[in-house]
Amino acid sequence: MTTRITVAADHTRIGDIIYNGLGTGKHPTYAWEAITQVNSVDGLIQLITGHLDGPHGEFWFEPDESVVVVRRPPIEPRPATAESNKQRTHRH
């Protein structure tokens, strides 16, 4: 499950999803893109979606400026379970 949250620009993370305009597809979710880079440049926060060597989105924010992102909760590790050493034998 994902959650739409508002964070300060300097608290955005790689993997957060940001709204990037109307998009090229007919479906509205095509306009949401994953942030692939977060940079601090001259006191501003630069968010990049996509790859620098191809088409990408670029957003500039003040560090304390509010940004709405969709963030997936961190994956929790599975608890360790004791594995049984019992082997089934098949009788024929």
Side-chain angles (χ1 to χ4, degrees):
M1 171 171 273
T2 57
T3 306
R4 189 183 300 191
I5 59 173
T6 302
V7 295
D10 62 350
H11 288 100
T12 54
R13 302 178 187 165
I14 292 174
D16 283 350
I17 301 171
I18 190 168
Y19 188 71
N20 189 15
L22 300 175
T24 57
K26 294 179 182 179
H27 198 277
T29 58
Y30 292 158
W32 288 86
E33 296 185 50
I35 297 172
T36 55
Q37 290 185 18
V38 178
N39 303 315
S40 179
V41 181
D42 295 329
L44 296 173
I45 303 299
Q46 177 192 36
L47 305 177
I48 296 177
T49 61
H51 300 285
L52 281 177
D53 56 349
H56 67 276
E58 191 172 292
F59 303 89
W60 292 88
F61 296 98
E62 294 287 335
D64 60 348
E65 191 173 346
S66 295
V67 180
V68 175
V69 297
V70 173
R71 183 173 289 172
R72 291 183 175 92
I75 297 172
E76 295 181 18
R78 291 183 179 177
T81 57
E83 297 204 10
S84 173
N85 288 337
K86 296 180 185 176
Q87 295 180 357
R88 293 185 180 175
T89 58
H90 296 282
R91 296 182 185 160
H92 293 280

